[in-house]
Amino acid sequence: MTTFSVTPETIQAAIVAALGDKLQRTSIALGEVEAVVSADNYHAAAQILRDDSGCKFEQLIDLCGVDYSEYKGGAYEGPRFCVVLQLLSVSLNQRLRLKVFATDDAMPLLQSVTNVWAAADWYEREAFDLFGIMFDGHNDLRRILTDYGFIGHPFRKDFPTTGYVEMRYDAEQARVVYQPVTIEAREITPRIIREDNYGGLH
């Protein structure tokens, strides 16, 4: 059983008091506090959560993107892209899940929090690479997992499983080239063996 030095209800009350009207909503699930802030208040809220004496979330454990376009079987109505931060207070032995939704689905843009938690650097690059979420103020926002010539963002729900381009070696040009995907959909029909004595079995 987890022993809390400060209960989730106490840290939730501290977060509500610290963020004030910057907090959109909060809840407790599975023993952890979740807080949602708007994109406009995201950076200011991050600084408060790190510096406020009742919060003390000194560490960013994780930051990832989420695509809600097919959430609840497509019945979800709301902003498509979300960024989720897992924060840890070493001082108070508490965790917080902080969520912020980008307001523009076509061009998801949020402020970078690399100047609040340096650990956000590669996580924001990953969210950009896989989901296409832009982070204003990030000083090196480039792909981190996919190749330099990669087109699209592979963790988006509408990204094709075959991708958009494929890479091959061109003997005439003596180099690797990109070209549109040539993979054709295959129909696989399982072969069924119906022999009476197959494999010597009776």
Side-chain angles (χ1 to χ4, degrees), residues 196-202:
D196 291 339
N197 294 322
Y198 178 72
L201 301 175
H202 297 281

Side-chain angles (χ1 to χ4, degrees), residues 12 18-19 43 53 60-61 73 87 91 123-124 135 149 152-153 155 159 193 197 202:
Q12 184 183 35
L19 294 182
H43 190 270
S53 60
L60 172 72
I61 302 299
L87 303 178
S91 306
Y123 292 130
E124 290 183 351
F135 292 91
H153 304 285
F155 276 17
F159 186 83
I193 301 172
N197 294 322
H202 297 281

